[in-house]
Amino acid sequence: MKNKKLGFETRAIHAGQNADPVTGAIMTPVYMSSTYVQSSPGVHKGYEYTRTSNPTRRAYEDCLASLEEGVRGFAFASGCAATTTILHMLSSGDHIIAADDLYGGTVRLFDRVFKQMGIEVSYVKMTDLKLTETAVRKNTKMFWLETPTNPLLQVIDIKKICALAKKVKALSVVDNTFMSPYFQKPLTLGADIVMHSATKYIGGHSDLLGGAIVTSTDALAEKIQFLTNSLGGVCSNMDSFLFLRSLKTLPIRMRAHEANAKKLADFLTAHSKVERVIYPGLKSHPQHKIASQQASGFGGMITIYVKGGLKGAKKILENVKIFQLAESLGGVESLIEHPALMTHLSIPKERREKIGVHDNLVRLSVGIESIEDLIQDLDSALR
Ligand SMILES: *Cc1c(COP(=O)(O)O)cnc(C)c1O
């Protein structure tokens, strides 16, 4: 079932899935098989070896592709495995233009793994189209962006950046982890490739590690399929089953994350111990308008600058009771973290400070608990 005309909620539950023709089982079975029997060399039912393709993984991939409105999905063992696979489309001497506050692990891959292999990267404030344009070189082959960015929640105009990429014949890749396909569909805004850390909202329960890629064309799908099969960082059969199950509740989870985040952002804005609240849903957000235009919601992530510097930040982190101090995001439970000391520690302090990841910056992944409890928890920790 791939029909894009059906509603998002319907596709989240049914796309890529049919009752098992042999037993009638309504849920896609976990096909725990590494290889598949052939009736004659090369004659088979579409599967030869699980690194290349597996029926459970394929159902999950087809569901992902349907939700992102792309042509083909691919599932990986982690978001970083998905990133690594995409970066192998490049060759030594190629240049990437990347947004200037990306997930720390992506920056680590760019600067400490792919740089050694001859890939050049420029980090640019992509909310500024002119500045991004001036970063283009003859060898620019890829644009890499997250929006909203991590952790500063800047909103980048996907349409404009992807149009620029197209103009200079470079690929555009959008890391859609923070919004999930429920709120934002970059391929419909001109992106060539969308990727995810499925570990976050797609999995949604902080119990799985995974990554995803969805391509906009068959030609790109062919390249990614070749690289996926060659590099081998695929999602396991069991995890594919669990992710497929998670996708079924993605719409209702995302709505609940957002409803809580909106209320919490208003509460924090009015709080005397908070210096500044960054949430794309607030009218005070510098790119609130673009956020409202390119996405159907604002998501569940909030970033705050607290009063009292590092000491003030630590006080909150150590005193919350429902919010749990942990890296990661996108699970049903609320998490709180300190980017400068945790997720973004691998980024040099100088660059962190330059982009605004200061010591009094705290990031919240708002879960779907009772909002009164979340407000009460942050209020008492702030005091
Ligand atoms: C977590 C994350 C990644 C990396 O994904 P893993 O599943 O941890 O490998 C990439 N991008 C963003 C925005 C993330 O939050």
Side-chain angles (χ1 to χ4, degrees):
M1 198 185 293
K2 260 184 159 174
N3 193 343
K4 278 172 197 158
K5 300 257 162 54
L6 293 169
F8 190 95
E9 283 80 353
T10 309
R11 285 179 283 128
I13 294 168
H14 296 289
Q17 298 154 75
N18 290 302
D20 179 43
V22 178
T23 62
I26 193 161
M27 298 310 301
T28 303
V30 190
Y31 286 94
M32 281 294 191
S33 193
S34 58
T35 191
Y36 305 82
V37 176
Q38 312 194 5
S39 57
S40 177
V43 181
H44 51 73
K45 297 178 160 55
Y47 297 95
E48 297 159 275
Y49 187 62
T50 276
R51 176 166 24 76
T52 317
S53 194
N54 168 278
T56 313
R57 192 168 89 232
R58 187 60 199 251
Y60 166 41
E61 291 173 335
D62 285 350
C63 192
L64 282 169
S66 171
L67 297 182
E68 284 286 3
E69 302 191 15
V71 306
R72 177 84 161 86
F74 298 88
F76 297 85
S78 71
C80 286
T83 301
T84 301
T85 303
I86 295 168
L87 292 179
H88 275 88
M89 297 176 87
L90 301 175
S91 315
S92 174
D94 287 349
H95 174 240
I96 303 172
I97 297 180
D100 70 350
D101 73 306
L102 291 177
Y103 174 72
T106 303
V107 174
R108 184 171 52 206
L109 270 172
F110 284 166
D111 289 356
R112 294 175 62 188
V113 179
F114 283 89
K115 211 172 243 178
Q116 266 96 315
M117 295 161 68
I119 309 282
E120 298 170 46
V121 185
S122 301
Y123 296 95
V124 182
K125 198 169 166 55
M126 274 197 195
T127 48
D128 186 335
L129 185 68
K130 281 239 171 68
L131 204 65
T132 311
E133 228 164 351
T134 60
V136 175
R137 300 181 193 166
K138 272 213 177 75
N139 57 342
T140 300
K141 292 286 163 61
M142 189 176 277
F143 284 65
W144 191 287
L145 63 120
E146 284 169 25
T147 180
T149 63
N150 181 6
L152 295 170
L153 305 177
Q154 299 177 66
V155 176
I156 296 168
D157 191 326
I158 298 175
K159 246 187 197 163
K160 284 199 177 137
I161 297 291
C162 293
L164 172 62
K166 210 145 271 170
K167 198 175 92 186
V168 302
K169 295 191 170 62
L171 286 172
S172 50
V173 182
V174 178
D175 181 337
N176 202 27
T177 300
F178 271 36
M179 292 308 265
S180 91
Y182 180 67
F183 285 133
Q184 182 167 277
K185 295 165 195 69
L187 300 181
T188 67
L189 299 167
D192 294 310
I193 295 173
V194 58
M195 68 81 58
H196 281 274
S197 169
T199 311
K200 317 295 167 49
Y201 287 109
I202 288 177
H205 297 74
S206 305
D207 53 2
L208 296 170
L209 196 71
I213 294 175
V214 179
T215 64
S216 60
T217 66
D218 288 319
L220 286 170
E222 217 167 282
K223 284 184 190 165
I224 295 292
Q225 172 63 40
F226 168 77
L227 288 171
T228 302
N229 187 43
S230 302
L231 294 165
V234 297
C235 189
S236 76
N237 312 332
M238 189 65 208
D239 286 357
S240 294
F241 172 84
L242 292 168
F243 277 119
L244 194 56
R245 178 200 229 222
S246 285
L247 279 180
K248 293 175 194 292
T249 55
L250 181 71
I252 54 171
R253 281 188 285 112
M254 292 315 293
R255 285 200 290 267
H257 282 292
E258 187 189 48
N260 276 357
K262 276 182 171 163
K263 286 183 188 144
L264 213 52
D266 286 337
F267 164 76
L268 291 165
T269 302
H271 204 286
S272 62
K273 293 274 165 44
V274 177
E275 204 172 273
R276 195 178 147 213
V277 180
I278 308 176
Y279 180 64
L282 292 173
K283 290 224 168 63
S284 62
H285 189 285
Q287 296 100 26
H288 174 69
K289 199 164 152 237
I290 301 168
S292 328
Q293 286 166 352
Q294 71 181 8
S296 59
F298 303 105
M301 299 299 296
I302 300 175
T303 296
I304 55 174
Y305 289 100
V306 300
K307 290 188 178 159
L310 181 61
K311 237 170 128 190
K314 274 199 173 157
K315 222 175 203 172
I316 298 164
L317 300 167
E318 287 164 1
N319 285 294
V320 282
K321 298 209 161 59
I322 295 172
F323 274 86
Q324 301 289 304
L325 176 59
E327 297 192 0
S328 200
L329 60 112
V332 290
E333 60 286 303
S334 293
L335 300 181
I336 190 166
E337 72 112 3
H338 191 264
L341 293 179
M342 295 168 71
T343 45
H344 291 63
L345 187 61
S346 60
I347 299 174
K349 185 172 169 68
E350 207 173 286
R351 189 149 106 231
R352 266 200 327 257
E353 289 286 339
K354 204 177 132 202
I355 61 176
V357 181
H358 302 302
D359 284 350
N360 66 334
L361 187 79
V362 171
R363 191 185 78 180
L364 305 170
S365 171
V366 182
I368 64 172
E369 300 96 336
S370 306
I371 184 64
E372 299 78 19
D373 296 334
L374 297 182
I375 287 176
Q376 163 69 33
D377 192 36
L378 283 185
D379 189 37
S380 57
L382 279 161
R383 281 166 205 281

